[in-house]
């Protein structure tokens, strides 16, 4: 689907609502900062590959990957093919690139401890941050932490994370999503922000500058670890990160259950004028939909318009004020959008 087709699809899906609509196009080439490929073995050589069901496609190049990844792909393949120990039982590779950094992950069906020396030489020869994985084991060479810099309205935000953290696959569109949110929320009356599914603070940090205080929840220990580091990097002191699932936070704020992780936090001190939701593809659970109804303004970041539409059926008390489409994955069926909802008067 191209951008016009995605726009038409969204407008048709939400035709029962009246809203302002805008779409943001991506570059059509060199936009993707994360690339996962299978490894195909043939005649003592390995090739990058993709599989669609039982069909196999050999990947010679990938124009949608950013330039750093495109430049590295042939170098990695050549080095692996020249080393029997490294290519043997290798079944996948993952490239992850930022504006400032890059890492490569190799996935094996064998004990990677046996090739530790070879992996280290490989990392040194390409001057590359390398992670090797096999069942129950992980080896890291030259570090796995990546540095990222986003520029939002001429202000730079600094992040660190690893490939274990969820990150937006299109950096340009990620910046546009944050810019659009800041623009649309600029003139609204705001107090405190409640954010669920905050990850390592991708949206949290820029938004913290326009809200008095922020409470952000995330279940992943690794994401919380980097979210706290990212606060320090950006000099942010008004965010409280909580390692809780959205459902558990819902129980906590309704005082249905006490949590040890909230022992130093008094949620009654906060006045949440807005709630930001960034759920997985399945959308919001019933508990989280009920929680969201406590707040006048809802910001819903969706990677699945169908689940967003289903959730809106249970948010009849709200108007869909704005809907923005971000073409994160060009010429695919994948649609990323942000909805801004306000409780009806």
């Amino acid at each position: 689907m191209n951008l016009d087709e995605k726009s038409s699809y969204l407008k048709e899906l939400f035709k029962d609502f009246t809203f302002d609509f805008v779409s943001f196009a991506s570059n059509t080439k060199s936009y993707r900062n994360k690339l996962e490929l299978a490894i195909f073995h043939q005649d003592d050589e390995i090739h990058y590959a993709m599989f669609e069901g039982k069909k196999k496609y050999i990947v010679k190049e990938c124009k949608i990957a950013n330039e750093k990844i495109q430049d590295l792909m042939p170098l990695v393949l050549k080095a692996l093919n020249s080393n029997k120990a490294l290519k043997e039982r290798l079944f996948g590779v993952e490239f992850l690139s930022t504006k400032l950094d890059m890492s490569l992950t190799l996935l094996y069906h064998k004990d990677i401890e046996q090739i530790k020396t070879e992996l280290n030489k490989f990392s040194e020869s390409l001057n590359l941050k390398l992670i090797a994985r096999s069942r129950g084991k992980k080896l890291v060479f030259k570090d796995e932490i990546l540095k990222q810099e986003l520029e939002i309205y001429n202000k730079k935000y600094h992040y660190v994370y690893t490939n274990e953290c969820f990150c937006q696959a299109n950096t340009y569109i990620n910046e546009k999503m944050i810019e659009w949110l800041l623009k649309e929320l600029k003139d609204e009356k705001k107090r405190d922000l409640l954010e669920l599914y905050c990850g390592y603070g991708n949206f949290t940090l820029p938004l913290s500058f326009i809200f008095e205080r922020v409470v952000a929840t995330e279940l992943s220990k690794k994401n919380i670890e980097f979210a706290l580091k990212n606060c320090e990097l950006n000099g942010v002191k008004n965010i409280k990160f909580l390692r809780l699932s959205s459902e558990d936070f819902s129980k906590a704020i309704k005082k249905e259950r006490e949590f040890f992780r909230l022992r130093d936090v008094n949620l009654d001190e906060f006045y949440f004028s807005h709630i930001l939701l960034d759920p997985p593809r399945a959308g919001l659970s019933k508990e989280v939909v009920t929680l969201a109804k406590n707040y006048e303004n809802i910001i819903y970041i969706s990677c699945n318009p169908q689940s967003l539409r289903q959730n809106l059926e249970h948010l009849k008390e709200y108007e869909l004020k704005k809907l923005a489409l971000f073409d994160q994955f060009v010429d695919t069926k994948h649609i990323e959008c942000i909805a801004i909802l306000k409780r009806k008067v």
Side-chain angles (χ1 to χ4, degrees):
M1 297 172 70
N2 61 33
L3 184 57
D4 288 339
E5 290 170 331
K6 291 179 181 182
S7 297
S8 297
Y9 172 80
L10 271 187
K11 290 175 182 178
E12 177 64 22
L13 185 62
F14 295 93
K15 63 183 179 181
D16 297 337
F17 300 85
T18 302
F19 53 88
D20 293 333
F21 179 79
V22 64
S23 64
F24 293 85
S26 170
N27 298 323
T28 58
K29 295 180 180 179
S30 306
Y31 67 84
R32 191 178 174 99
N33 56 40
K34 186 174 183 179
L35 183 64
E36 300 175 5
L37 295 168
I39 292 293
F40 176 65
H41 293 254
Q42 184 180 47
D43 299 331
D44 201 35
E45 266 198 286
I46 61 171
H47 308 270
Y48 296 127
M50 297 187 74
F51 290 87
E52 186 178 325
K54 293 184 179 180
K55 287 187 176 181
K56 173 185 82 275
Y57 301 92
I58 299 298
V59 178
K60 297 290 187 181
E61 59 182 5
C62 186
K63 292 295 187 182
I64 65 171
N66 66 28
E67 287 86 353
K68 287 183 181 180
I69 295 176
Q70 290 189 53
D71 291 344
L72 186 61
M73 284 175 63
L75 301 178
V76 167
L77 195 62
K78 182 179 179 180
L80 291 173
N81 265 315
S82 66
N83 189 310
K84 183 178 179 180
L86 290 182
K87 67 183 176 183
E88 183 181 55
R89 305 206 72 187
L90 176 68
F91 71 90
V93 296
E94 297 175 0
F95 297 88
L96 181 59
S97 172
T98 73
K99 289 182 180 180
L100 307 175
D101 230 330
M102 169 167 270
S103 72
L104 173 72
T105 301
L106 301 178
L107 308 173
Y108 284 95
H109 282 313
K110 67 178 180 180
D111 184 0
I112 53 177
E113 290 287 350
Q114 297 176 359
I115 55 171
K116 188 173 181 178
T117 300
E118 295 297 326
L119 288 165
N120 185 56
K121 290 178 181 178
F122 173 74
S123 171
E124 291 289 342
S125 68
L126 291 178
N127 190 25
L128 182 64
K129 291 182 177 179
L130 176 68
I131 303 102
R133 289 182 176 276
S134 61
R135 184 184 292 272
K137 291 188 178 181
K138 171 184 169 184
L139 296 175
V140 176
F141 305 89
K142 287 188 179 293
D143 200 2
E144 63 179 328
I145 297 175
L146 299 180
K147 297 177 181 178
Q148 173 67 302
E149 180 182 272
L150 300 183
E151 187 167 342
I152 313 296
Y153 291 129
N154 299 317
K155 178 180 174 65
K156 292 181 179 179
Y157 296 88
H158 303 278
Y159 300 85
V160 288
Y161 52 82
T162 71
N163 67 347
E164 293 180 34
C165 302
F166 172 80
C167 61
Q168 299 287 340
N170 186 326
T171 300
Y172 171 79
I173 287 295
N174 185 28
E175 290 174 331
K176 291 302 174 188
M177 292 170 74
I178 297 170
E179 284 185 347
W180 183 79
L181 268 179
L182 290 175
K183 172 176 167 290
E184 294 302 323
L185 297 174
K186 180 181 177 182
D187 297 327
E188 286 194 8
K189 291 182 179 179
K190 298 177 291 294
R191 291 282 298 275
D192 300 329
L193 171 67
L194 172 60
E195 180 183 0
L196 307 186
Y197 319 95
C198 70
Y200 59 80
N202 179 65
F203 295 102
T204 326
L205 292 170
L207 288 173
S208 70
F209 288 90
I210 64 171
F211 284 89
E212 293 179 17
R213 294 175 298 179
V214 180
V215 172
T217 73
E218 168 63 49
L219 185 57
S220 163
K221 184 177 181 180
K222 185 64 71 173
N223 274 316
I224 289 291
E225 174 188 332
F226 284 107
L228 292 170
K229 290 180 179 179
N230 293 331
C231 275
E232 293 178 14
L233 286 174
N234 293 275
V236 174
K237 297 181 179 179
N238 66 335
I239 305 175
K240 185 66 179 179
F241 286 103
L242 304 175
R243 191 161 74 88
L244 286 174
S245 71
S246 300
E247 287 72 24
D248 281 346
F249 181 84
S250 179
K251 293 174 184 176
I253 205 163
K254 289 188 291 185
K255 296 182 170 58
E256 293 179 355
R257 179 183 162 192
E258 292 186 1
F259 291 86
F260 182 73
R261 293 172 187 168
L262 293 176
R263 64 193 181 279
D264 299 323
V265 181
N266 181 4
L267 293 174
D268 292 334
E269 292 180 351
F270 294 88
Y271 181 88
F272 297 116
S273 59
H274 293 68
I275 182 171
L276 170 61
L277 307 165
D278 188 4
R281 289 189 60 80
L284 306 175
S285 66
K286 291 181 180 179
E287 292 88 347
V288 177
V289 170
T290 301
L291 171 66
K293 291 181 180 182
N294 292 319
Y295 310 107
E296 184 177 349
N297 302 282
I298 299 174
I299 306 158
Y300 192 134
I301 301 173
S302 172
C303 60
N304 182 359
Q306 290 284 353
S307 57
L308 169 60
R309 182 67 179 82
Q310 291 166 8
N311 286 153
L312 290 185
E313 286 299 314
H314 302 283
L315 292 167
K316 296 289 191 181
E317 307 93 327
Y318 290 81
E319 292 181 82
L320 175 58
K321 302 290 289 184
K322 299 177 187 293
L323 185 65
L325 164 62
F326 299 88
D327 201 8
Q328 179 112 231
F329 300 95
V330 180
D331 293 328
T332 71
K333 293 182 179 180
H334 182 92
I335 296 176
E336 191 93 9
C337 60
I338 303 180
I340 295 180
L341 296 90
K342 192 174 188 68
R343 186 185 288 130
K344 296 176 182 176
V345 178

